[in-house]
Amino acid sequence: MRKPALRPAGLAPETTAVLTGVNEDPAFGAVAPPLHLSTTYAFEAIEREGPYAYSRAGNPSRDLLGRTLAELEGGAGAVVTSSGMAAIDLVLSLLGPEDLVVAPHDAYWGTLRLLGARAERRQFRLALVDQGDEAAVARALQDRPRLVLIETPSNPLMRVVDIAGIAARAKAVGAQVAVDNTFLSPALQQPLALGADFVVHSTTKFINGHSDVVGGAVIAAEPGDLETLTNWAGTVGSVGSPFDAYMTLRGVRTLFARVERQQESAATIAEFLDAHPMVTAVHYPGLPSHPNYPLAVRQQRGFGAMLSFELSGGLEAVRAFAAALGVFTLAESLGGVESLVAHPQTMTHAGMSRPAQEAAGITDGLLRLSVGLERVDDLLADLDAALGAARPLKAARAS
Ligand SMILES: *Cc1c(COP(=O)(O)O)cnc(C)c1O
């Protein structure tokens, strides 16, 4: 057997993302970790099980992705799931009928749907609060929740929530804290270091980063929690497939490089939109005018590659804008190498009632951008042309 590489301690996270599992193959010395598709593993003899027995319970390719994500988030370990929703549901499996969950009123729409459906079946009790409102959070914590779910920055308005502040107050009343870190990834935010007990990801987004795998992960700070979650995921079978894990790890290799370039372009685009007469508001935590700018500076390593903005001229202008785009693609999801634009009111948040949309600030002119890896000049020119096409005819003639 060949000897796997010996890594020095204290490597930077960028290096961990690139090197975890590299040159560890004892059989052939493969540099890139092999993909293990086998569902079953041979016992050495009766009563002598090897490191793996059956792939629902454990698989080397899936475990390698989990190990990498756990190192990047600074956790005891990770459970790799078949989707981001399966990851959130796995954390909810810790709860019983008497337990209270406190979640953000403007959480990812799929998360709100899942929480609502499970609460309706009396699997736990649910309180939705505006987590930017300190008094509302304090009131919710008085009811002694078992779990506080945080999502920051929020979708689609990019509100930033104070993870360390809420985690400290949640701990004081005996609650555990889970943070959905999908929008920033471990490259830009590490919730466990801020006091969270769990991080959940839709790895579908920045972590895989190529819009070709749906997946998720839960990273636990404590070994005991990790064991409970691992056992439950194996019991219900919500684990991710080895092939998806292999693809996602390939995405992780470039996570830092992608996110750094993508957020640089996002900042340029935010400034461009902020100065454009057709745009009435830009929601990007990297703009000093954003209400949570100081918190974002303190809590995040960067401002990310997601932003949203208000186009003037209502739905008619939105239609013309979307139809004129040639580099941005009109699609849901985010975090891939290609730039996307979404209209939350009719796309990602279409399942929400009008009053709920209004309460969450989702207007007919709101557009969300996921900024990709194209040359920023091409992205700016595309937006500029589409904003020109969205100008009302009268205004266009007058100028
Ligand atoms: C996409 C997303 C999810 C759900 O993940 P899936 O992989 O689509 O199941 C959860 N939270 C956030 C913030 C997301 O963007």
Side-chain angles (χ1 to χ4, degrees):
M1 288 240 279
R2 302 173 56 95
K3 265 208 276 183
L6 255 181
R7 303 264 184 247
L11 295 173
E14 290 88 337
T15 308
T16 297
V18 171
L19 281 188
T20 305
V22 164
N23 186 17
E24 283 187 3
D25 173 30
F28 303 113
V31 172
L35 165 57
H36 294 281
L37 292 172
S38 186
T39 55
T40 189
Y41 293 81
F43 280 59
E44 284 160 31
I46 292 292
E47 294 179 314
R48 280 185 58 199
E49 190 179 323
Y52 289 98
Y54 184 58
S55 276
R56 170 154 45 72
N59 172 279
S61 298
R62 189 169 64 230
D63 286 359
L64 178 58
L65 173 62
R67 200 177 106 204
T68 310
L69 295 178
E71 283 203 31
L72 293 178
E73 290 285 3
V79 184
V80 172
T81 57
S82 56
S83 69
M85 292 321 306
I88 294 168
D89 203 43
L90 184 58
V91 175
L92 298 179
S93 74
L94 297 168
L95 304 164
E98 298 311 314
D99 292 330
L100 173 68
V101 182
V102 173
H105 72 138
D106 56 353
Y108 175 72
W109 165 241
T111 304
L112 288 176
R113 185 174 57 181
L114 172 64
L115 288 166
R118 288 226 177 269
E120 205 171 295
R121 285 166 178 73
R122 306 220 162 103
Q123 286 163 355
F124 47 75
R125 297 177 299 127
L126 175 65
L128 298 177
V129 299
D130 176 353
Q131 294 183 337
D133 177 347
E134 284 205 19
V137 172
R139 268 196 308 279
L141 291 178
Q142 274 170 9
D143 295 332
R144 302 204 152 261
R146 165 86 200 279
L147 179 74
V148 178
L149 180 66
I150 294 174
E151 204 184 295
T152 179
S154 74
N155 175 28
L157 288 181
M158 310 301 295
R159 294 182 179 118
V160 181
V161 170
D162 182 355
I163 298 172
I166 293 181
R169 282 185 289 158
K171 288 260 145 83
V173 298
Q176 287 193 301
V177 174
V179 177
D180 185 331
N181 203 21
T182 300
F183 265 44
L184 289 176
S185 90
L188 299 179
Q189 178 167 271
Q190 288 181 298
L192 300 184
L194 298 168
D197 300 281
F198 306 101
V199 169
V200 294
H201 277 288
S202 168
T203 56
T204 313
K205 317 295 169 53
F206 286 98
I207 287 181
N208 178 61
H210 293 74
S211 306
D212 53 9
V213 176
V214 169
V218 184
I219 297 97
E222 296 299 329
D225 288 330
L226 177 70
E227 195 185 335
T228 307
L229 294 176
T230 303
N231 289 339
W232 189 247
T235 300
V236 298
S238 57
V239 292
S241 88
F243 183 74
D244 288 355
Y246 173 86
M247 292 281 280
T248 303
L249 184 61
R250 205 169 190 272
V252 170
R253 302 304 189 201
T254 57
L255 173 69
F256 284 80
R258 281 186 285 111
V259 166
E260 274 164 32
R261 171 61 77 86
Q262 284 172 254
Q263 71 170 355
E264 199 182 303
S265 296
T268 306
I269 288 169
E271 278 168 24
F272 163 78
L273 291 172
D274 206 31
H276 199 283
M278 282 294 289
V279 175
T280 56
V282 178
H283 308 288
Y284 184 62
L287 289 176
S289 57
H290 188 285
N292 306 127
Y293 174 77
L295 175 58
V297 168
R298 196 166 79 229
Q299 175 165 284
Q300 306 173 186
R301 289 226 303 263
F303 302 114
M306 297 300 299
L307 63 116
S308 60
F309 66 98
E310 297 271 351
L311 184 63
S312 71
L315 205 53
E316 206 185 325
V318 165
R319 268 200 203 97
F321 175 83
L325 289 168
V327 179
F328 280 85
T329 301
L330 181 66
E332 295 182 359
S333 199
L334 56 115
V337 294
E338 68 293 308
S339 292
L340 302 178
V341 58
H343 183 239
Q345 190 185 70
T346 57
M347 294 168 65
T348 50
H349 292 64
M352 250 172 145
S353 70
R354 255 316 150 94
Q357 282 184 344
E358 271 162 31
I362 296 161
T363 60
D364 54 1
L366 186 73
L367 288 156
R368 187 188 76 182
L369 301 183
S370 171
V371 178
L373 281 176
E374 304 88 345
R375 177 77 76 98
V376 70
D377 296 344
D378 288 335
L379 295 172
L380 290 171
D382 198 39
L383 292 170
D384 198 35
L387 288 167
R391 269 207 298 182
L393 231 46
K394 255 193 296 175
R397 254 191 239 116
S399 66

